[in-house]
Amino acid sequence: MGVDYYNILKVNPNASEDDLKKAYKRLAMIWHPDKNPAGKRPEAEFKFKQISEAYDVLSDPTKRQIYDLYGEEALKSGQFPPPSSSRSAAPHQHHQPHYYHRGNHNATSFRFNPRDAEDIYAEIFGSEGGGGGGAGGSGGGGRGYRDGFFRTSNGAGGREFAGTSSGPGPGLRKANAVENNLACSLEELYKGFKKKMKISRTIIDSAGKVRTLEEILTIEIKPGWKKGTKITFPEKGNQEPGVIPADLIFVVDEKPHALYKRDGNDLVVNQEITLLEALTGKTLELTTLDGRNLMIPLTDIIKPGAEMVVPNEGMPISKEPGRKGNLRIKFDVKYPSRLTTEQKSDLKRVLGGVSL
């Protein structure tokens, strides 16, 4: 028989028109190309056309009778024996004679004209809201509904919505996005990293059954990404009939660091030094976020509240590879709580002639 249209729609050979429509709707919601990500689009287009062709044949009494009696090849070639009286009692005998053409040979010729898959889709889903009509509705109405069914026809924003200029009709709404915080250490945001997340979601398989699917998502964090950056996995939410699955969004969050604080692309560190160190100098030793030892000599007198800038030792700038912000060191000079008389005398002697 070639292609098994009944198996494609997952119905039995005695399926009624209502059974066929329900089966088509269930499968079309899963396999319509606009409901599938780009990587799955070729498979979805193939299956959607298969489903549409199966529904086109089985929902048409004439095509279905020819298919049931002679198979797919005869249906598409149009070459098969004329129906005999013994076969005229088949379930779908009220066919229309204008489909048949008598030739010179003792055979009946039938022209198979498959309907456009998108027209069938618009007709089935559009007719529920008054758009598209039934099988005898105008082709223009069905086509107009189809063109605006998934996205705006004027290109405004490219978002999904229902309705077209040809009349109202219910479209597929998209579930609200699901957001999850992704807590990252400052070291991870400095160096970048990949994180694997295991998710579990419900899907509707090709047989229309709901099942649980577990997936591993790889999240790649680029060096320099900031708190609030969003990583989106399109349509990775739960599947429901008549609803486009939600996008799954991970939002970068920043864990507090024991030493550094981020300020845009800069890193800020508070450093306490003694009065003696502020006056006489010292060498600061800091460990960077990527594990390097940074030696910073203090040669000038450090005043309370002073800030030193070390260029190119801040956070990587994600949009400018190779560039970094600055490291800003804020000093807090610690004064002694008390001095002896001798210490005071020594300070007066040393600093007495110093002009500030």
Side-chain angles (χ1 to χ4, degrees):
M1 180 177 280
V3 175
D4 187 344
Y5 290 132
Y6 291 102
N7 186 52
I8 289 172
L9 290 184
K10 307 300 180 187
V11 296
N12 63 54
N14 297 319
S16 66
E17 184 178 345
D18 190 51
D19 294 334
L20 294 172
K21 184 175 287 190
K22 287 179 180 177
Y24 169 83
K25 286 169 64 176
R26 183 183 69 247
L27 295 171
M29 296 297 286
I30 298 169
W31 292 110
H32 193 288
D34 284 352
K35 282 178 55 61
N36 285 269
K40 203 175 179 182
R41 190 65 59 87
E43 180 190 5
E45 288 178 350
F46 174 77
K47 286 187 177 291
F48 182 63
K49 288 178 181 177
Q50 253 194 345
I51 294 160
S52 301
E53 182 176 305
Y55 178 77
D56 176 34
V57 171
L58 299 182
S59 64
D60 182 291
T62 302
K63 294 177 184 176
R64 182 171 179 174
Q65 183 186 26
I66 296 170
Y67 171 73
D68 286 345
L69 292 175
Y70 306 110
E72 178 214 3
E73 293 87 349
L75 174 70
K76 292 184 175 179
S77 68
Q79 299 299 317
F80 48 86
S84 66
S85 56
S86 62
R87 284 173 172 161
S88 62
H92 305 284
Q93 59 188 4
H94 48 284
H95 45 271
Q96 301 172 21
H98 66 267
Y99 283 108
Y100 297 85
H101 302 276
R102 179 71 65 185
N104 294 329
H105 303 284
N106 187 24
T108 302
S109 177
F110 166 82
R111 183 182 301 169
F112 177 68
N113 292 314
R115 296 177 60 201
D116 184 86
E118 289 286 5
D119 282 344
I120 295 173
Y121 187 90
E123 175 190 302
I124 295 297
F125 289 94
S127 62
E128 296 178 355
S138 79
R143 178 74 66 178
Y145 188 91
R146 180 197 73 183
D147 289 343
F149 195 81
F150 285 97
R151 53 179 62 87
T152 55
S153 57
N154 60 5
R159 64 183 181 89
E160 289 86 357
F161 83 118
T164 67
S165 58
S166 65
L172 292 178
R173 71 174 181 86
K174 184 163 186 173
N176 294 330
V178 178
E179 292 193 358
N180 296 277
N181 277 350
L182 183 65
C184 305
S185 68
L186 209 50
E187 286 88 351
E188 289 172 330
L189 294 175
Y190 183 93
K191 295 181 284 187
F193 73 106
K194 288 184 179 181
K195 188 178 184 71
K196 293 188 181 295
M197 299 284 287
K198 185 177 182 179
I199 66 166
S200 178
R201 64 193 184 104
T202 58
I203 64 166
I204 303 174
D205 62 21
S206 58
K209 295 181 180 179
V210 177
R211 63 184 180 89
T212 300
L213 175 68
E214 291 187 343
E215 290 185 69
I216 303 294
L217 302 180
T218 300
I219 305 172
E220 184 174 1
I221 303 296
K222 301 290 186 183
W225 273 9
K226 298 177 181 177
K227 178 179 180 178
T229 301
K230 295 184 177 183
I231 307 101
T232 301
F233 292 87
E235 299 180 16
K236 286 297 182 181
N238 293 330
Q239 288 186 358
E240 301 175 50
V243 179
I244 298 174
D247 292 343
L248 185 58
I249 300 175
F250 292 93
V251 184
V252 172
D253 198 8
E254 191 178 288
K255 296 178 184 177
H257 193 272
L259 179 62
Y260 296 101
K261 184 178 180 181
R262 185 175 187 173
D263 182 13
N265 293 318
D266 291 347
L267 287 173
V268 180
V269 61
N270 293 315
Q271 185 70 39
E272 185 179 81
I273 58 174
T274 66
L275 178 59
L276 178 63
E277 291 168 337
L279 295 173
T280 61
K282 71 170 290 185
T283 298
L284 291 179
E285 184 175 348
L286 296 174
T287 301
T288 62
L289 292 174
D290 57 350
R292 292 176 291 117
N293 288 325
L294 197 61
M295 310 298 289
I296 305 168
L298 305 180
T299 56
D300 297 330
I301 292 176
I302 305 296
K303 296 180 179 180
E307 182 177 292
M308 173 183 283
V309 175
V310 182
N312 209 42
E313 285 294 348
M315 293 294 290
I317 301 174
S318 58
K319 294 182 180 179
E320 300 178 50
R323 284 198 58 198
K324 295 180 183 177
N326 298 323
L327 171 61
R328 290 157 38 201
I329 306 171
K330 294 185 176 183
F331 292 100
D332 180 22
V333 179
K334 186 178 181 181
Y335 284 74
S337 57
R338 57 181 294 277
L339 293 173
T340 65
T341 302
E342 185 179 355
Q343 288 172 328
K344 290 177 182 178
S345 298
D346 288 342
L347 283 173
K348 286 178 181 178
R349 179 173 54 82
V350 173
L351 300 176
V354 177
S355 58
L356 299 177

